[in-house]
Amino acid sequence: MENSISNKQLCPEFSVEEFEPPKVEIFSWMAIQERIATRSVLLNRNMISEIQLALCPLCSENVETPQHLLLRRVSWEVWSNILDWWKIQWVCPFSLVELALWWFENGFRKLEKCIWEVCFFATLWSIWIARNGVIFNNGSALAWEVMDLIKTRVAMWMKAKFDIKVYTVKDFKGYLDGIRKVKL
């Protein structure tokens, strides 16, 4: 498969020290490999019989592929908000592979690098969870709600890994600039 990418290419440091839950890392790797159960995958496996049933639950306009679900439309807005949070400008890449390669080739160091890399996993996972909420619970997937969940997950995962008692989840969500510069 041309979108094939190994764990070492994706994020060499994370194979030694993980910050996010293992199921999130596995999901993210599968998403980049286009192996998650989106509606297009289910259609190709004849588990969905009509193209109409394969439409994206977030936009109801395009077939739900991993690329579309996790990188386009609502997801594009979420990724843009994450990068605004970091004060980084971007151009949306063509594929999740390109996004992952760009994301993990950063110049950050120490805690800042950890937070940045955890954002990648938290974003993919939060979009997936929001999508499942729409499908199974008649929920909504508003970009600002997903963004808030991402910030919360990043804060909780980082606090679980590091002894950062001085900062609350609210601090992480609102004062990223200051926390990024903390020396561990």
Side-chain angles (χ1 to χ4, degrees):
M1 175 182 243
E2 73 181 51
N3 285 343
S4 183
I5 186 170
S6 71
N7 281 345
K8 284 234 184 265
Q9 286 174 298
L10 175 58
C11 47
E13 289 84 24
F14 276 72
S15 58
V16 176
E17 192 169 19
E18 297 168 353
F19 299 92
E20 65 289 331
K23 70 180 177 182
V24 174
E25 187 172 352
I26 290 166
F27 167 79
S28 300
W29 181 81
M30 289 177 64
I32 292 166
Q33 301 296 322
E34 296 188 20
R35 304 247 188 237
I36 57 174
T38 57
R39 292 176 171 190
S40 65
V41 171
L42 299 176
L43 183 67
N44 289 339
R45 293 179 184 166
N46 294 320
M47 297 176 87
I48 293 177
S49 57
E50 300 174 33
I51 192 77
Q52 207 58 19
L53 296 174
L55 293 180
C56 174
L58 304 184
C59 75
S60 301
E61 293 179 17
N62 297 89
V63 172
E64 181 195 48
T65 65
Q67 302 295 333
H68 175 78
L69 174 68
L70 298 170
L71 203 53
R72 307 287 180 252
R73 300 277 185 150
V74 172
S75 301
W76 174 85
E77 190 176 343
V78 171
W79 286 108
S80 294
N81 287 336
I82 288 293
L83 290 159
D84 283 347
W85 187 39
W86 281 79
K87 297 178 177 45
I88 294 174
Q89 294 182 343
W90 79 312
V91 174
C92 185
F94 178 73
S95 70
L96 289 169
V97 170
E98 289 175 9
L99 176 64
L101 290 172
W102 173 76
W103 201 276
F104 291 97
E105 291 176 353
N106 64 68
F108 298 125
R109 295 191 174 134
K110 308 220 184 221
L111 180 63
E112 188 175 37
K113 179 179 178 67
C114 296
I115 298 169
W116 171 255
E117 292 180 355
V118 165
C119 280
F120 178 82
F121 294 104
T123 302
L124 289 177
W125 183 249
S126 297
I127 293 168
W128 181 253
I129 296 300
R131 172 253 193 210
N132 287 343
V134 168
I135 292 172
F136 300 114
N137 300 323
N138 293 321
S140 65
L142 301 173
W144 70 268
E145 292 175 328
V146 177
M147 179 67 184
D148 191 58
L149 287 172
I150 292 165
K151 289 179 176 182
T152 302
R153 284 187 173 104
V154 168
M156 290 173 51
W157 294 347
M158 294 306 297
K159 285 180 69 60
K161 184 65 180 179
F162 295 106
D163 188 25
I164 311 175
K165 291 185 175 106
V166 237
Y167 295 105
T168 65
V169 170
K170 186 177 178 180
D171 292 336
F172 262 91
K173 291 167 65 173
Y175 307 106
L176 179 66
D177 285 343
I179 293 171
R180 286 169 55 181
K181 294 172 183 26
V182 169
K183 305 258 190 240
L184 293 178

